[in-house]
Amino acid sequence: ALRNVFPAISQDDAARFNQFFETVTDLVVTLTVLDLQLDGDGASATVAGRYEFRSGGRARQSDLSLQLRLIRTGDDWRISAVR
């Protein structure tokens, strides 16, 4: 499913995400687009977010800030790069 929105993800990063998803429960992800710049069939987005989840029986959270590069493929947008 991750490759559907981020086809360029590396095998190592995909494996880390899969391991994370397999080991946590009650995952809630909140993402907020802070800035979006469109450029034809491409776009750059600044995104802030938070993962809230349970791991080892404990509630945890992790904040994140991402710079995304997006490309349009037909009617869909896909992530081409993450910083």
Side-chain angles (χ1 to χ4, degrees), residues 19-77:
Q19 182 180 20
F20 172 76
F21 292 138
E22 289 173 358
T23 59
V24 302
T25 59
D26 302 325
L27 176 63
V28 176
V29 178
T30 304
L31 299 173
T32 303
V33 177
L34 302 176
D35 185 56
L36 179 64
Q37 300 294 318
L38 296 174
D39 181 21
D41 285 337
S44 296
T46 302
V47 178
R50 173 173 283 177
Y51 291 164
E52 297 177 63
F53 56 94
R54 296 191 71 78
S55 177
R58 297 179 49 199
R60 300 178 186 258
Q61 70 182 31
S62 179
D63 293 326
L64 61 125
S65 177
L66 303 169
Q67 297 291 321
L68 303 178
R69 184 69 190 146
L70 306 158
I71 56 170
R72 183 176 15 216
T73 309
D75 292 335
D76 300 322
W77 286 90

